[in-house]
Amino acid sequence: MEFILIAVLVVIVIWGIAAYNNFVKLIEAVNNSEKEISVQLDRRGKVFDSLISAVKRYMEHESEVFTKVTALRAQTLDPTVSSQEVKNAQDELSKVVSSGSLNIAVESYPELKADRNMMQLQEEIVSTENKLTFAKKAFNNAIERYNVAKGSFPGLIIPSVFSSLNKTFIYWSLDEETIKTEEARRVQF
């Protein structure tokens, strides 16, 4: 009989240690998931700022190049312009085209790259927002796993005995005002 009692006590102690360690692991998973949200928010701020700045600069550059090419081309076709001015405009147009500022497509129209940069920016925005969404979901899932363990029998005994393991985590969510602000937020040029 003593053997059975000792075996039951050993099983209870082993279960208690395993359950305690499981709660520590669950709490750390919640903390880590919360930190991942911070990492993704920081990434979003840095990526968006730098990408938007780069795309704006490139769009300004393309606008300048396109305006210059259009003006030079118009000058070469203008019958009121002297032949020397036409030659100078042709030379300047050749310099712009050969400098790499402009790529000429088969139809002799400029192939500008701002549209590709905008597509890359859009893809990066979607990618970043997806990563942030996954981080938020992982955080809420970690809280859910902890709460299920804390509310299930016999696991609920451990947080009752060890108050350091009895945590109250708040799920990631937005208040109504923030939701309205976020819905109105758009990346604009």
Side-chain angles (χ1 to χ4, degrees):
M1 189 68 164
E2 284 180 23
F3 178 73
I4 294 174
L5 187 58
I6 291 173
V8 168
L9 285 175
V10 167
V11 168
I12 290 172
V13 168
I14 290 172
W15 171 84
I17 291 170
Y20 181 92
N21 290 340
N22 187 50
F23 273 98
V24 170
K25 182 175 79 173
L26 291 171
I27 290 169
E28 285 306 309
V30 171
N31 292 336
N32 184 50
S33 295
E34 187 174 31
K35 286 180 179 82
E36 181 62 25
I37 292 172
S38 297
V39 167
Q40 293 303 328
L41 287 170
D42 181 54
R43 179 184 181 278
R44 176 171 70 175
K46 289 176 181 173
V47 166
F48 284 13
D49 290 348
S50 63
L51 280 174
I52 290 170
S53 175
V55 169
K56 280 183 178 180
R57 282 193 310 267
Y58 199 86
M59 287 172 64
E60 289 168 3
H61 169 72
E62 280 192 354
S63 177
E64 291 170 12
V65 169
F66 192 68
T67 302
K68 187 174 184 178
V69 166
T70 303
L72 290 170
R73 187 165 181 260
Q75 194 174 5
T76 64
L77 300 175
D78 189 349
T80 63
V81 176
S82 72
S83 62
Q84 183 59 41
E85 288 175 320
V86 169
K87 182 183 178 306
N88 291 343
Q90 290 285 5
D91 290 343
E92 186 65 28
L93 192 55
S94 293
K95 286 180 190 174
V96 170
V97 171
S98 65
S99 71
S101 297
L102 181 69
N103 294 324
I104 301 299
V106 174
E107 301 165 353
S108 298
Y109 290 106
E111 177 191 314
L112 301 178
K113 296 180 183 175
D115 63 329
R116 282 185 259 154
N117 289 341
M118 290 300 290
M119 291 301 293
Q120 288 173 340
L121 172 63
Q122 189 175 7
E123 288 173 17
E124 190 60 39
I125 289 171
V126 169
S127 172
T128 299
E129 290 302 315
N130 285 341
K131 289 176 183 179
L132 186 56
T133 299
F134 294 142
K136 291 173 184 177
K137 284 181 180 181
F139 176 69
N140 284 346
N141 289 341
I143 291 174
E144 180 183 14
R145 284 189 297 277
Y146 170 79
N147 287 339
V148 166
K150 185 171 109 172
S152 300
F153 184 80
L156 59 88
I157 296 169
I158 299 299
S160 301
V161 174
F162 301 100
S163 62
S164 65
L165 297 179
N166 192 4
K167 306 280 185 183
T168 303
F169 296 107
I170 299 173
Y171 287 95
W172 180 271
S173 64
L174 300 174
D175 58 67
E176 289 299 316
E177 184 177 322
T178 306
I179 290 172
K180 288 178 185 175
T181 302
E182 288 298 315
E183 287 176 351
R185 180 190 233 179
R186 300 287 182 261
V187 174
Q188 296 184 6
F189 287 89

